[in-house]
Amino acid sequence: MSFLIKKSTAAFLLIAMANLVVAFASFFILPPKFFYDSAIIIYDKFGEIGFLGSYPLTILFYKVTGLRYLPFPVIALIQFPILMFVLYKIGIPDDFEKISIKNILVYLGIFMIAIFIAMPSKEFITFLFVTPIVFICRNKRFTFKKTIITTILLLFVFGALYRPYFALIPIIAGGMYLISFINFKNKTVTVIFYGLLIAVFLSLSYGIVKGEHFSEMSRELVNKDRMGSADANSMIVSPVKPDTWYGETIAVFYGFFIVNVPVNGLKHIFSPQIILFIIWQLLLFYILLVRFSKCLKERKDYKYELLILFIIFSFFIVQGVFEPDLGSAVRHKIGIFPLIYFALYYEHFRKELQ
């Protein structure tokens, strides 16, 4: 009986095992600020536990599962293998063991999973919630129409119960989808531009009803209390106050570019971990942009990847509105890593869908 294992699978398992050590050791190495959210979730100092909202539901999850009663390193030993099993079930491309930009991005992504969400984390819930979208896309029993409808419903439900800004993703993605049928000279950039305009419109409409815009009630509010603190060096601060229509417009566009093309973060030359995360985001955004351009040109052959890319870029746009700093931007991207993983390796998965 042969127990030979494919090189790609062996590479995946080796990387996973190496990062399991990272996940376990992170509690003893990383500074306390990395565990601020985890402490809120585990100790529930403010009595937030409940059935609605990201913190209340996450606190409830860790209480019901009993994870909150375990040491953080033990939680890492439980959560990280679950996340790796999810990626394993999505599929491992045949050339996973080869050194390429795409593979390096995924290797680093797995490393960041070990650092950011192997601990008690809201992103652990997000990671597991977006995973069914990928499995639906890979399931031949779902027609493309059913896949779209189910995905939209999942995002709206997640937005209603857990993170409200996820409910904006289908709206922005739907608008971008309709715009993509219009012939433009540079369709890729134009579609994203109109996606940003849709986000601005939604924010301004909310401002008319509630009296404050999206970035004003989220990013600005969070960062207001952090000014001058040790954690303020990676804050995203709009050059114009977002309390007017033009200020919010600038804030949305500025936030999008800072979050996804964070070249300004290269000033942290003496913080190699920040530089690493910035390079990862720059390369990831570029490769996904190239994939997006190809899918728009060959939409019939790449319809499932195009659907996922509309969701990813809509998420990137929403990040530009709500993200308070570059650190949380990376963490939240890791939360939707199953979608990113599927988009990067779609050529491999497409063969199975045909």
Side-chain angles (χ1 to χ4, degrees), residues 34 68 71 82 149 177 182 185 189 198 202 219 248 253 298 301 304 307 337 342 347:
F34 269 83
R68 70 179 292 178
I82 291 172
I149 293 171
Y177 172 76
I182 303 173
K185 188 175 181 180
V189 174
I198 293 169
L202 291 171
R219 181 171 65 215
E248 179 66 357
F253 277 81
E298 304 174 44
D301 293 330
Y304 286 97
L307 168 63
F337 193 74
F342 181 75
E347 289 290 359

Side-chain angles (χ1 to χ4, degrees), residues 2-144:
S2 175
F3 290 96
L4 289 176
I5 186 171
K6 291 170 63 176
K7 288 182 179 179
S8 56
T9 304
F12 178 87
L13 293 175
L14 283 171
I15 290 169
M17 286 188 288
N19 282 287
L20 179 62
V21 176
V22 174
F24 177 81
S26 63
F27 177 75
F28 305 101
I29 299 171
L30 296 175
K33 66 179 181 179
F34 269 83
F35 300 94
Y36 176 73
D37 269 9
S38 297
I40 293 174
I41 291 165
I42 294 300
Y43 302 116
D44 191 18
K45 292 181 179 179
F46 307 110
E48 294 180 86
I49 190 169
F51 296 92
L52 195 65
S54 57
Y55 273 119
L57 270 171
T58 307
I59 294 167
L60 181 65
F61 169 80
Y62 279 93
K63 182 178 181 180
V64 170
T65 59
L67 289 171
R68 70 179 292 178
Y69 306 109
L70 300 175
F72 280 17
V74 176
I75 294 174
L77 291 178
I78 295 171
Q79 286 189 181
F80 185 76
I82 291 172
L83 300 173
M84 291 302 98
F85 181 72
V86 166
L87 295 183
Y88 178 81
K89 293 301 291 183
I90 290 173
I92 303 168
D94 296 330
D95 61 349
F96 190 79
E97 78 283 1
K98 296 179 181 177
I99 301 299
S100 65
I101 297 297
K102 186 165 55 177
N103 285 344
I104 290 173
L105 285 175
V106 174
Y107 302 161
L108 287 174
I110 292 173
F111 172 71
M112 285 187 274
I113 289 172
I115 290 178
F116 287 122
I117 57 176
M119 63 183 72
S121 170
K122 291 181 288 184
E123 303 319 312
F124 180 70
I125 309 294
T126 303
F127 192 106
L128 296 180
F129 197 92
V130 302
T131 296
I133 296 174
V134 176
F135 287 127
I136 290 168
C137 286
R138 296 206 58 205
N139 194 329
K140 294 181 181 179
R141 289 178 294 178
F142 279 81
T143 63
F144 185 60

